[in-house]
Amino acid sequence: MAPNRTLDTLPRRPANMAPPAPEYPWPEGFTSAMFLSFDVDAESVWTAKDPDHFDRLVTMSFGGFEARVGTPRLLEMLDRLDLKATFFITGWTLDAHPAMCEAILAAGHEIGHHGYHHLLPDPGSDRLIEEVEAGLDALKRRLGVVPKGYRAPSGEFCEELRVALAERGFLYTSSFRDDVRPYRHVLEDGRAGTIELPVTASYDDWMLGLSARFSPRPIFPKEHVLSIWKDELDETRDWGAMVTTVLHPQCSGRPMRLRLLREFLTYARSCPDLWIATGEEIAGNFLHHERAGA
């Protein structure tokens, strides 16, 4: 972030200089897409807000639910529905819960980068690059994975992070909320950045289904959320576009929320025009068409 930024010094340009998303076709037989993805934060989502939360054991237990119950139940459901997803995992979670993360990989799902301590990647943060490197190290050390995709903790981004990810060879990122189709980032110096798989804000289950002392909000009933998710999906299908989920095992792995997700994914699978895929698959489709048109 520029020092001493004021309203009078703001650039007169869009914050994101990428051109409109190209309307590349989806794989044959499909006219729309769903990027099915989960953010596996475990307790790190709580300690990122305040390291002292580690000693607040009930607060920590919200995150601990992921390894004990939520993720195993979700993996079981995805297996029964014959679906593959992308799981963005923090490095701390890998180190604290290796068996859970190994189970995700063993089930054939894609593993993505989600920082190390789930720290907000704020402009000027002195730990920004350290978070990227530590997360990469944990993925390689624990799972033997070099991730293709990155999702920003707490859904924030800055130019330094965008450059760092492009220079480290990431294929795609999935954090921005500004489109309904994949597009290619443009760095401030004009170089090409990663492929962006934009997030669909209404598919963030945390906003609709989790309430805690340090994250107080109402929990929406299944009927309300299912209506939102189906309407969003149906209209997006009419547009020939893509929806992207941001699901959390400590939310959607709980009984009522899992029933809701199962019902929604069963509906999504019944849509013959909808390609339900991992981030690597969707970014690969974009790259194929981008290269063909070059």
Side-chain angles (χ1 to χ4, degrees):
M1 181 179 293
N4 303 316
R5 176 79 82 196
T6 69
L7 291 175
D8 293 330
T9 63
L10 287 176
R12 269 57 170 180
R13 61 165 177 81
N16 184 358
M17 293 299 292
E23 295 195 9
Y24 293 142
W26 304 112
E28 186 176 356
F30 300 107
T31 59
S32 58
M34 173 190 287
F35 175 22
L36 180 58
S37 62
F38 296 81
D39 289 2
V40 187
D41 308 326
E43 295 95 329
S44 68
V45 72
W46 303 103
T47 52
K49 300 175 187 297
D50 180 356
D52 285 341
H53 281 346
F54 191 84
D55 297 317
R56 298 181 176 109
L57 298 184
V58 171
T59 296
M60 294 296 280
S61 73
F62 279 86
F65 182 86
E66 291 195 0
R68 298 171 68 91
V69 180
T71 300
R73 291 287 184 176
L74 286 167
L75 291 177
E76 180 181 81
M77 180 198 68
L78 292 172
D79 181 61
R80 288 182 177 178
L81 293 176
D82 193 26
L83 289 171
K84 298 300 180 189
T86 299
F87 287 77
F88 295 98
I89 309 177
T90 68
W92 185 94
T93 298
L94 281 157
D95 284 334
H97 301 290
M100 173 185 68
C101 301
E102 290 164 3
I104 295 170
L105 182 64
H109 301 289
E110 182 191 4
I111 305 295
H113 191 306
H114 196 41
Y116 187 85
H117 283 293
H118 203 272
L119 296 181
L120 181 78
D122 226 17
S125 167
D126 59 0
R127 298 194 65 157
L128 192 148
I129 300 302
E130 179 184 335
E131 280 285 297
V132 173
E133 294 291 353
L136 285 170
D137 174 70
L139 287 164
K140 181 66 174 177
R141 175 168 39 83
R142 288 289 187 183
L143 300 178
V145 166
V146 177
K148 299 289 183 65
Y150 172 92
R151 175 167 291 154
S154 299
E156 194 48 87
F157 237 87
C158 62
E159 184 63 16
E160 183 183 1
L161 176 60
R162 190 157 56 173
V163 170
L165 296 173
E167 292 180 344
R168 284 160 177 76
F170 279 84
L171 173 64
Y172 74 91
T173 50
S174 181
S175 302
F176 284 56
R177 269 88 169 155
D178 54 6
D179 216 311
V180 292
R181 299 185 70 92
Y183 63 85
R184 171 75 69 178
H185 277 287
V186 176
L187 306 183
E188 283 187 0
D189 62 8
R191 288 182 295 161
T194 58
I195 298 165
E196 178 66 25
L197 308 185
V199 165
T200 309
S202 61
Y203 287 103
D204 185 341
D205 62 349
W206 194 285
M207 306 301 293
L208 303 169
L210 187 69
S211 185
R213 184 186 319 144
F214 299 105
S215 187
R217 54 173 57 91
I219 293 178
F220 287 73
K222 182 186 79 167
E223 293 75 16
H224 290 188
V225 180
L226 199 55
S227 174
I228 293 169
W229 285 359
K230 284 184 173 181
D231 283 350
E232 185 88 48
L233 179 61
D234 287 345
E235 184 67 18
T236 302
R237 288 167 55 213
D238 287 346
W239 292 10
M242 178 183 78
V243 298
T244 297
T245 68
V246 184
L247 303 167
H248 303 79
Q250 58 191 285
C251 178
S252 284
R254 295 182 184 273
M256 185 270 281
R257 313 312 296 190
L258 189 135
R259 174 171 288 201
L260 158 64
L261 181 58
R262 183 194 303 118
E263 194 166 328
F264 171 68
L265 291 178
T266 299
Y267 173 73
R269 286 193 80 248
S270 74
C271 302
D273 60 305
L274 182 67
W275 182 39
I276 305 175
T278 66
E280 184 176 359
E281 290 171 326
I282 294 171
N285 180 73
F286 181 98
L287 189 62
H288 167 76
H289 290 289
E290 183 182 60
R291 286 173 172 170

